[in-house]
Amino acid sequence: MNVIYEEAKKRYAEFGIDTERVMNDLAKAEISVHCWQGDDVGGFDSPDALSGGIQATGNYPGKARTPDELMADIDKALSLVPGAHKLNIHACYAIFEEGEFADRDALEPKHFKKWVDFALERGLGIDFNPTFFSHPKAAEFTLSSPDEEIRKFWVRHGIACIRIAEYFAEMTGKVSVMNIWIPDGYKDIPADRIGPRARFKESLDEIIGCGYDKEKVYVCLESKVFGIGLESYTVGSAEFTLGYAQANGLVPLMDNGHYHPTEVVSDKISSLLLLNPKLALHITRSVRWDSDHVVRYDDETKEIAKEIVASGRMDDIAMALDFFDASINRIAAWVIGIRSFRKALLSAMLTPNAMFTELQNKGEMTKLMALQEEMKTLPLGAVWEEFCVRNGVPGDLSWLAEIEKYEKEVLRHRV
Ligand code: RNT
Ligand code: ZN
């Protein structure tokens, strides 16, 4: 028996919280783990550098160079994080046979069979993303391109990806969340703002017009405020994506790096939940800009988790991580980010949300503030450690030693 945990259990029980039930619920919450942390959003289908106004900075040694290396690294990361997960991959992670190649508009389910095998062996569902960047035809615009040939190319890519997402859903028996994000925008003030958005709208109509099973594939649309080199105008703005998603039955996706620095996604979740049956999130950490730093157990991450849990609508929210740090050990980056978000969910579940709501409704704001502060120093760490151990992963920092060993034995040999 873990005495420290038993003590913590009693403390939380004083607030009406059953830590046993919390640990049960927490283990079931699915976090979608992005494959692209392992290779700085490189992918396997083309040698093109990362483009689209996003950047992975740093050159820590040991980046995965092949599907086998990336899969081994994902396995290492997943062996050190507790609870349920999904795998999130991008179209640029297609795996071709020797000598084979298919351009983005010609991708087929067979190019992702190895990912399906990988997911099935581990009991994971697969989420998916068309890749509208890092490609010669994405040098300027994609779905909003004024060049009809280019626009059509990317429409075909979108449709190909829906078919691949359907294949994932069929093979794994789990919903595939497919997220559309395009980098299209202008560095400087455009003459015509409505034209590109009209073309984006037309392209989306064509993509979703291909017909797909909405029970199996959730098509999401992600907004953005700006990108590097695209500072003045973003085609897929918040208004555009929210409006389009709501009008067309898509799932809006909010990435918390994609808003002005003082806006917070934690405050947006409730509104979107009231107006949409489903919601998707990219959980990241922006530092001064959309920098995609590793997620930490910080105030906004906790507040996002609290909004998810307190809404009682967790099953309607697809929770995916989206960060890429190349300046530290990439596997440690995954593990820290995944554990931090899970810990934030734990913190939310260990909060007496219903009791707090009652205080708010009664106008007892003094007591609410006092209790909110009180909860912060309750022994969450003891519950976290117990949760980790029960779910077969290290509860303490010994996970880091595992990664250091892997770095020495495996990563350092990748030169
Ligand atoms: C870019 C978006 C997008 C990407 C991934 C790789 O700003 O956040 O979600 O990070 O698709
Ligand atoms: Zn994102």
Side-chain angles (χ1 to χ4, degrees):
M1 194 173 82
N2 179 345
V3 242
I4 304 179
Y5 166 67
E6 291 304 324
E7 206 41 53
K9 185 175 169 176
K10 278 189 216 145
R11 292 297 308 279
Y12 283 105
E14 287 165 21
F15 293 89
I17 294 162
D18 177 355
T19 52
E20 294 292 320
R21 213 175 92 191
V22 163
M23 285 194 280
N24 232 2
D25 292 346
L26 184 61
K28 286 188 230 147
E30 274 186 344
I31 298 177
S32 189
V33 174
H34 56 313
C35 76
W36 53 91
Q37 164 55 49
D39 72 337
D40 314 340
V41 211
F44 308 128
D45 76 336
S46 84
D48 285 87
L50 178 59
S51 72
I54 55 176
Q55 267 176 19
T57 55
N59 58 356
Y60 200 85
K63 158 167 120 176
R65 299 160 303 180
T66 63
D68 285 345
E69 288 181 355
L70 186 60
M71 288 176 188
D73 293 357
I74 293 171
D75 266 339
K76 188 39 85 188
L78 290 182
S79 74
L80 300 170
V81 292
H85 301 100
K86 284 180 95 180
L87 179 66
N88 200 3
I89 62 177
H90 243 282
C92 61
Y93 290 82
I95 302 174
F96 301 127
E97 296 298 328
E98 188 73 29
E100 184 192 21
F101 174 72
D103 209 346
R104 297 263 169 91
D105 66 334
L107 288 172
E108 290 178 51
K110 67 174 182 191
H111 302 124
F112 295 87
K113 182 175 181 302
K114 291 212 171 90
W115 284 111
V116 168
D117 295 343
F118 177 84
L120 285 177
E121 277 165 28
R122 288 148 187 84
L124 302 168
I126 311 178
D127 293 332
F128 197 45
N129 307 261
T131 311
F132 296 102
F133 52 85
S134 307
H135 185 279
K137 287 197 167 68
E140 294 279 337
F141 289 80
T142 64
L143 292 179
S144 74
S145 178
D147 179 332
E148 191 59 7
E149 213 177 292
I150 293 205
R151 193 186 69 78
K152 284 279 185 198
F153 173 86
W154 290 110
V155 167
R156 288 196 300 276
H157 176 55
I159 295 172
C161 286
I162 289 187
R163 298 291 168 243
I164 293 160
E166 282 183 323
Y167 159 71
F168 290 152
E170 268 153 36
M171 298 303 286
T172 63
K174 295 185 178 168
V175 166
S176 181
V177 175
M178 196 200 89
N179 178 47
I180 296 177
W181 169 73
I182 59 161
D184 301 19
Y186 281 105
K187 180 187 174 89
D188 227 310
I189 304 162
D192 173 21
R193 291 173 191 270
I194 201 167
R197 290 188 175 128
R199 289 189 291 272
F200 186 25
K201 181 171 177 290
E202 189 185 344
S203 299
L204 290 170
D205 291 347
E206 287 168 13
I207 292 173
I208 61 173
C210 75
Y212 63 97
D213 187 341
K214 288 197 168 185
E215 300 294 310
K216 289 186 178 155
V217 176
Y218 294 171
V219 175
C220 305
L221 199 53
E222 179 179 12
S223 68
K224 191 152 179 175
V225 68
F226 82 100
I228 298 293
L230 308 158
E231 290 86 356
S232 297
Y233 169 79
T234 295
V235 181
S237 61
E239 297 74 16
F240 179 92
T241 55
L242 274 182
Y244 189 91
Q246 272 167 13
N248 295 280
L250 301 191
V251 179
L253 186 147
M254 294 191 290
D255 178 313
N256 60 306
H258 293 189
Y259 297 87
H260 290 286
T262 55
E263 281 185 271
V264 280
V265 160
S266 54
D267 187 57
K268 300 175 190 294
I269 290 172
S270 46
S271 304
L272 265 59
L273 278 179
L274 287 171
L275 301 168
N276 297 271
K278 305 266 175 210
L279 172 63
L281 298 174
H282 269 183
I283 294 134
T284 188
R285 183 164 56 99
S286 54
V287 179
R288 310 202 187 282
W289 66 289
D290 179 33
S291 54
D292 290 292
H293 279 60
V294 177
V295 170
R296 300 178 82 147
Y297 182 63
D298 57 18
D299 284 350
E300 175 57 6
T301 308
K302 282 191 270 183
E303 195 61 19
I304 288 174
K306 180 214 117 194
E307 287 298 314
I308 295 171
V309 170
S311 74
R313 297 263 307 269
M314 186 134 124
D315 290 346
D316 293 328
I317 306 173
M319 303 180 287
L321 300 173
D322 182 16
F323 53 82
F324 25 98
D325 192 339
S327 74
I328 59 172
N329 179 302
R330 292 172 184 78
I331 299 164
W334 257 320
V335 172
I336 292 169
I338 302 168
R339 287 175 73 109
S340 294
F341 185 60
R342 179 80 61 186
K343 216 183 279 171
L345 288 173
L346 172 64
S347 159
M349 291 179 179
L350 290 177
T351 301
N353 294 307
M355 189 246 275
F356 281 9
T357 301
E358 216 179 292
L359 289 177
Q360 175 180 319
N361 290 342
K362 284 200 269 176
E364 295 191 34
M365 304 310 276
T366 311
K367 192 167 179 194
L368 176 59
M369 189 195 286
L371 277 168
Q372 281 172 330
E373 288 306 299
E374 187 68 14
M375 296 306 294
K376 286 186 182 170
T377 47
L378 251 55
L380 174 137
V383 184
W384 171 250
E385 283 203 31
E386 179 70 11
F387 174 72
C388 288
V389 171
R390 286 195 196 179
N391 285 277
V393 307
D396 57 13
L397 197 61
S398 59
W399 63 262
L400 185 59
E402 284 268 330
I403 291 180
E404 284 166 350
K405 184 164 168 269
Y406 187 76
E407 173 166 334
K408 215 163 127 211
E409 289 170 2
V410 181
L411 303 181
R412 291 278 166 180
H413 301 285
R414 294 178 186 167
V415 279

